[in-house]
Amino acid sequence: MISNMEVQNPQSLWLGRASQQRLTREPEGNEKPETSLADIYQQILKQVDRYFLAFNIRQQRQKLLGTLDQFTSLPVGRVNEQTRTDQNQRSIIARVMIVLGKGSREEKFPEFGLSALGRLVRTGGITLSEDAQIIYQSPTGLFERRVALKDL
């Protein structure tokens, strides 16, 4: 039995062009953005709900989905210029995108009361059957070798 197993998230986050442009620049003067940061965050949460099933470990997906109200209550810009506190909508989106990326890292979100989001480690272990196999496969899939675990 394997006791701890790190799970990789196979999905990628996708944002439309208007959302990407909104994240890369601030509106100038009285210009109204096509997409608000709350709309972008909502798009991210919809994708998490539909595609990021690996985040079901330790109920991370459900915890993240319940943060929309808290997110909209945060300011859009910096909170404190002297201390450079980044508890704002833009920095939250950036940190969530890092957590959802491949090869992601663990991130704390004290704004939402989340102590660890992104570490996908299954601790209950898995039980392997007697006919379990290790499959070695070439990157192209042309060559394959199977080894039964009972033969090791």
Side-chain angles (χ1 to χ4, degrees):
M1 184 157 130
I2 300 172
S3 61
N4 285 341
M5 182 176 73
E6 187 165 339
V7 177
Q8 293 288 323
N9 175 37
Q11 300 300 328
S12 294
L13 181 67
W14 181 88
L15 292 175
R17 187 150 183 79
S19 298
Q20 292 177 29
Q21 289 174 341
R22 173 67 173 101
L23 287 174
T24 57
R25 71 173 190 86
E26 284 291 333
E28 297 175 11
N30 59 2
E31 176 188 0
K32 288 190 174 184
E34 291 179 29
T35 309
S36 72
L37 294 176
D39 291 338
I40 294 170
Y41 191 71
Q42 201 165 16
Q43 290 173 19
I44 292 170
L45 292 181
K46 283 181 184 177
Q47 288 187 44
V48 167
D49 187 35
R50 185 166 181 192
Y51 301 112
F52 288 76
L53 301 179
F55 281 83
N56 282 342
I57 296 172
R58 295 189 325 217
Q59 298 155 345
Q60 293 185 42
R61 189 168 66 129
Q62 291 77 13
K63 290 175 185 176
L64 187 61
L65 293 175
T67 61
L68 183 59
D69 291 336
Q70 294 163 315
F71 177 83
T72 55
S73 68
L74 293 171
V76 175
R78 288 199 184 279
V79 175
N80 185 338
E81 285 295 327
Q82 290 179 334
T83 60
R84 303 291 234 193
T85 304
D86 283 334
Q87 292 182 338
N88 60 60
Q89 291 181 359
R90 182 178 298 280
S91 68
I92 294 292
I93 289 175
R95 289 169 43 214
V96 166
M97 290 175 69
I98 289 170
V99 167
L100 296 176
K102 290 188 178 184
S104 64
R105 66 173 193 239
E106 185 176 333
E107 190 78 38
K108 294 180 181 179
F109 290 89
E111 306 87 354
F112 303 144
L114 299 175
S115 60
L117 185 68
R119 185 159 186 236
L120 303 177
V121 176
R122 188 167 288 176
T123 56
I126 59 171
T127 305
L128 301 172
S129 65
E130 288 184 22
D131 58 341
Q133 297 178 343
I134 297 176
I135 302 172
Y136 299 97
Q137 193 174 48
S138 68
T140 60
L142 293 175
F143 304 102
E144 180 178 286
R145 183 174 62 121
R146 295 173 181 252
V147 178
L149 288 180
K150 63 183 176 185
D151 294 341
L152 295 178

